[in-house]
Each structure stands twice: as C-alpha cells, then as structure tokens.
Amino acid sequence: RKEVEQDPGPFNVPEGATVAFNCTYSNSASQSFFWYRQDCRKEPKLLMSVYSSGNEDGRFTAQLNRASQYISLLIRDSKLSDSATYLCVVNVKSNYQLIWGAGTKLIIKP
Amino acid sequence: DAGITQSPRHKVTETGTPVTLRCHQTENHRYMYWYRQDPGHGLRLIHYSYGVKDTDKGEVSDGYSVSRSKTEDFLLTLESATSSQTSVYFCAISESGAGGPGEQYFGPGTRLTVT
C-alpha cells in the first residue's frame, strides 16, 4: 500500500461546478499536510497547507480528518484555469522529507 | 517566484555515461532536495541536503550521488546512466527542517532521456 494515495482521475468538470477530491495517508503519526498544484510540464507549486481545523483560501477549502486518515480539497465555482494536477503531500516523519501522492488530474470544461 | 534554476533543462545521453545536473538558488535557503517524477508515481526523493557538505539519502538514491560545496549549489550526478533513470528531475528548496519541512519551492525541472 502506498503511503499517500490519490484517485488519479481525470476528473472532468464543467466550468462553475464544485469539485472535491480526497487523499488518504497510511501513517497515523503524520504531522503536516499540503496540497500542491502542478500544471502540465511545469513544477509543483504550493496551493495551501491543511490545518487540523480546516482552512479556506478563496474558492478552495481543505479539510483534515485524522480519525479516517484523509485530507480533502474542495474547489467551488471552478474556473478553466483550475485545470491542473493536484498533489497531496504529507510529512510522515519529523525530518526533512515529504511523501507525495501521484496526483489527481482535474480538467475544467467550458 | 523563488530564485531556483536548473541546468540543463533538457538532456539526452547514452547508457553508461556520467551525467551531472545542477541546481542553483538565490534564496539562501538551507535545505535542498532532488526529486524524480515518473508517470504513476508521486515525486520521489533521491537525496537531500541540510547544509553545506551535509547530505543524506532519500527513497531512491541508488545510482545517484550529490554534492553541495556552496549554499547556493546542489549537484546531482548519475554515475553511469541507465534507461531506468529517464525521468524529469526537480530540485527544491525550503527553509524549515527540524520538525518537518514546510513549503518547498521547485525549480523548473530537467528532462533527462537515457538511450
């Protein structure tokens, strides 16, 4: 079992819709959680950190469920520019390393 | 955008040849990382550095070595390239370390093809 698992998609969603995807992690001692965004043939960039109480940044909402060991990302009022691959990232140890999911591909259609 | 460059951006090389990829940062961040990215896999850590001349292995370090003689430069060497090392290589930097890394900033990547 992979340490961090994501549905690879693609999720095909009409513009303006709400979309959500989850990421599960296997290590209950995981400490820090992040969502990164990666555009085609580009480098990953931090979208948002995920806090225990959940957090929101504009149209994006991240949630953490420690009991079930998953994090989620909700995108409201999706835009064409939201089309990208979304990477779930977990820090499972107190060291310098992050564990990356393989990503969920999102395609927003006009 | 964070000041991170990678060179070369694209390279085609033959099996058995040594290859060195360079990562250069202007942010003065302490921590630097080399990842590879392949279809169906998340980013996988090859090696990382937590200071000048301080490096350690990551998840997929076999066949790779690194060096960091200056804060701003982190070199990745494929000692004898194999076709399985065809990949996209990303360099990343971060400020935090103890207690876990926070945000990592990535370079634009190097596309390496080993024929």
Side-chain angles (χ1 to χ4, degrees):
Chain A
R1 182 185 174 188
K2 292 182 179 179
E3 290 190 74
V4 177
E5 294 202 66
Q6 296 184 252
D7 183 338
F11 285 54
N12 290 283
V13 175
E15 191 176 9
T18 296
V19 60
F21 25 84
N22 291 342
C23 161
T24 59
Y25 59 93
S26 59
N27 192 323
S28 59
S30 300
Q31 298 177 324
S32 307
F33 308 88
F34 309 91
W35 284 104
Y36 278 69
R37 170 195 169 126
Q38 186 173 24
D39 293 307
C40 187
R41 300 178 75 85
K42 297 288 188 179
E43 71 273 20
K45 293 186 178 181
L46 180 69
L47 179 65
M48 56 197 305
S49 301
V50 185
Y51 302 122
S52 297
S53 56
N55 48 297
E56 189 174 305
D57 183 1
R59 298 181 294 107
F60 298 83
T61 300
Q63 297 276 354
L64 169 63
N65 185 317
R66 286 192 181 272
S68 300
Q69 295 184 200
Y70 74 85
I71 66 173
S72 63
L73 180 67
L74 178 80
I75 305 174
R76 291 181 300 277
D77 187 24
S78 54
K79 312 291 185 190
L80 295 175
S81 58
D82 294 333
S83 296
T85 295
Y86 291 83
L87 306 172
C88 171
V89 190
V90 177
N91 171 21
V92 296
K93 303 173 188 174
S94 294
N95 60 18
Y96 313 116
Q97 300 185 36
L98 299 176
I99 306 299
W100 296 74
T104 295
K105 187 171 184 178
L106 176 64
I107 300 171
I108 306 298
K109 300 181 294 184
Chain B
D1 288 349
I4 311 168
T5 57
Q6 292 185 229
S7 59
R9 295 291 314 280
H10 301 269
K11 186 169 182 66
V12 179
T13 192
E14 293 184 348
T15 298
T17 59
V19 176
T20 295
L21 308 183
R22 180 181 183 237
C23 177
H24 178 78
Q25 61 147 329
T26 58
E27 305 297 321
N28 201 35
H29 283 5
R30 179 180 174 187
Y31 304 97
M32 299 186 75
Y33 311 81
W34 275 109
Y35 290 94
R36 61 179 289 173
Q37 187 175 38
D38 304 290
H41 292 272
L43 286 164
R44 291 183 290 176
L45 184 66
I46 304 171
H47 282 278
Y48 63 97
S49 170
Y50 45 96
V52 173
K53 298 187 179 179
D54 291 324
T55 65
D56 207 347
K57 296 179 180 180
E59 176 189 358
V60 290
S61 59
D62 287 348
Y64 302 94
S65 62
V66 290
S67 66
R68 192 170 178 199
S69 59
K70 298 186 290 186
T71 298
E72 57 265 35
D73 289 325
F74 193 31
L75 303 181
L76 176 71
T77 298
L78 287 66
E79 293 140 9
S80 177
T82 66
S83 59
S84 64
Q85 294 176 311
T86 292
S87 188
V88 179
Y89 291 85
F90 286 104
C91 173
I93 63 175
S94 71
E95 285 189 301
S96 60
E103 179 175 3
Q104 292 189 351
Y105 302 91
F106 284 80
T110 294
R111 293 186 174 275
L112 176 68
T113 302
V114 184
T115 61

